[in-house]
Short mmCIF file of all heavy atoms in Angstrom, two decimals:
data_model
loop_
_atom_site.label_atom_id
_atom_site.label_comp_id
_atom_site.label_asym_id
_atom_site.label_seq_id
_atom_site.Cartn_x
_atom_site.Cartn_y
_atom_site.Cartn_z
N CYS A 9 113.32 129.56 113.06
CA CYS A 9 112.17 128.81 113.49
C CYS A 9 112.27 127.38 113.40
O CYS A 9 112.73 126.88 112.33
CB CYS A 9 110.85 129.50 112.77
SG CYS A 9 109.40 128.56 113.19
N TYR A 11 109.83 125.16 113.04
CA TYR A 11 108.65 124.57 112.36
C TYR A 11 108.76 124.15 110.88
O TYR A 11 109.44 123.38 110.63
CB TYR A 11 107.42 125.29 112.71
CG TYR A 11 107.13 125.39 114.05
CD1 TYR A 11 106.90 126.58 114.84
CD2 TYR A 11 106.96 124.22 114.95
CE1 TYR A 11 106.63 126.75 116.19
CE2 TYR A 11 106.75 124.36 116.39
CZ TYR A 11 106.40 125.64 116.92
OH TYR A 11 106.17 125.74 118.21
N CYS A 12 108.18 124.95 110.02
CA CYS A 12 108.12 124.56 108.59
C CYS A 12 109.28 124.88 107.77
O CYS A 12 110.24 125.57 108.23
CB CYS A 12 106.86 125.17 107.99
SG CYS A 12 107.01 126.83 107.33
N GLY A 13 109.34 124.35 106.55
CA GLY A 13 110.43 124.58 105.65
C GLY A 13 110.62 125.93 105.14
O GLY A 13 111.63 126.14 104.35
N VAL A 14 109.82 126.90 105.52
CA VAL A 14 110.11 128.28 105.02
C VAL A 14 111.58 128.67 105.72
O VAL A 14 112.24 129.40 105.13
CB VAL A 14 108.98 129.25 105.40
CG1 VAL A 14 109.33 130.76 105.02
CG2 VAL A 14 107.75 128.84 104.72
N GLY A 15 111.73 128.30 106.97
CA GLY A 15 112.97 128.63 107.68
C GLY A 15 113.15 130.00 108.00
O GLY A 15 114.19 130.60 107.64
N CYS A 16 112.25 130.64 108.71
CA CYS A 16 112.16 132.03 108.92
C CYS A 16 113.26 132.37 110.03
O CYS A 16 113.44 131.63 110.99
CB CYS A 16 110.75 132.47 109.56
SG CYS A 16 109.48 132.39 108.27
N ARG A 42 109.01 138.88 109.03
CA ARG A 42 107.66 138.26 109.29
C ARG A 42 107.78 136.99 110.08
O ARG A 42 108.71 136.23 110.05
CB ARG A 42 106.98 137.84 107.93
CG ARG A 42 106.60 139.03 107.08
CD ARG A 42 106.00 138.36 105.79
NE ARG A 42 105.66 139.53 104.75
CZ ARG A 42 106.34 139.92 103.87
NH1 ARG A 42 107.60 139.50 103.66
NH2 ARG A 42 105.80 140.82 103.01
N LEU A 43 106.68 136.70 110.79
CA LEU A 43 106.50 135.37 111.39
C LEU A 43 105.06 135.00 111.35
O LEU A 43 104.23 135.96 111.37
CB LEU A 43 107.00 135.32 112.89
CG LEU A 43 108.45 135.46 113.30
CD1 LEU A 43 108.63 135.44 114.82
CD2 LEU A 43 109.17 134.46 112.64
N CYS A 44 104.74 133.83 111.20
CA CYS A 44 103.33 133.27 111.24
C CYS A 44 102.92 133.15 112.72
O CYS A 44 103.66 133.36 113.65
CB CYS A 44 103.15 132.07 110.48
SG CYS A 44 103.79 130.57 111.27
N LYS A 46 102.44 130.38 114.32
CA LYS A 46 103.25 129.45 115.18
C LYS A 46 104.56 130.11 115.61
O LYS A 46 104.98 129.98 116.77
CB LYS A 46 103.51 128.26 114.36
CG LYS A 46 102.31 127.42 114.01
CD LYS A 46 102.60 126.13 113.30
CE LYS A 46 102.99 126.26 111.84
NZ LYS A 46 101.82 126.69 110.88
N GLY A 47 105.27 130.73 114.68
CA GLY A 47 106.57 131.29 115.06
C GLY A 47 106.39 132.42 116.08
O GLY A 47 107.29 132.55 117.02
N SER A 48 105.39 133.14 115.95
CA SER A 48 105.11 134.26 116.94
C SER A 48 104.92 133.77 118.37
O SER A 48 105.12 134.46 119.36
CB SER A 48 103.88 135.19 116.53
OG SER A 48 103.99 135.66 115.28
N CYS A 171 100.27 126.13 105.70
CA CYS A 171 101.40 125.20 105.86
C CYS A 171 102.73 125.92 105.64
O CYS A 171 103.79 125.44 106.03
CB CYS A 171 101.35 124.01 104.90
SG CYS A 171 99.79 123.10 105.31
N HIS A 172 102.78 127.00 104.79
CA HIS A 172 104.03 127.79 104.66
C HIS A 172 103.59 129.27 104.67
O HIS A 172 103.69 130.05 103.69
CB HIS A 172 104.68 127.55 103.19
CG HIS A 172 105.06 126.11 103.06
ND1 HIS A 172 104.26 125.08 102.72
CD2 HIS A 172 106.31 125.59 103.41
CE1 HIS A 172 104.99 123.96 102.67
NE2 HIS A 172 106.23 124.17 103.19
N PRO A 173 103.11 129.66 105.90
CA PRO A 173 102.34 130.91 105.95
C PRO A 173 103.09 132.17 105.60
O PRO A 173 102.55 133.10 104.97
CB PRO A 173 101.85 131.09 107.39
CG PRO A 173 101.99 129.62 107.92
CD PRO A 173 103.14 128.99 107.22
N VAL A 174 104.39 132.21 105.92
CA VAL A 174 105.17 133.43 105.59
C VAL A 174 105.35 133.60 104.09
O VAL A 174 105.39 134.67 103.43
CB VAL A 174 106.45 133.47 106.30
CG1 VAL A 174 107.44 134.52 105.79
CG2 VAL A 174 106.17 133.88 107.86
N LEU A 175 105.64 132.35 103.46
CA LEU A 175 105.73 132.44 102.00
C LEU A 175 104.41 132.88 101.41
O LEU A 175 104.39 133.65 100.31
CB LEU A 175 106.12 130.99 101.54
CG LEU A 175 106.97 130.92 100.32
CD1 LEU A 175 108.16 131.88 100.31
CD2 LEU A 175 107.44 129.47 100.18
S1 SF4 B 901 106.29 130.26 108.19
FE1 SF4 B 901 105.72 130.15 110.41
S2 SF4 B 901 106.22 127.98 110.98
FE2 SF4 B 901 107.21 128.42 109.00
S3 SF4 B 901 109.25 128.99 109.51
FE3 SF4 B 901 108.03 130.86 109.31
S4 SF4 B 901 107.35 131.36 111.35
FE4 SF4 B 901 108.08 129.24 111.39
#
Side-chain angles (χ1 to χ4, degrees):
C9 176
Y11 297 125
C12 83
V14 178
C16 295
R42 297 175 173 96
L43 289 179
C44 75
K46 292 186 287 292
S48 302
C171 300
H172 296 93
V174 164
L175 211 46

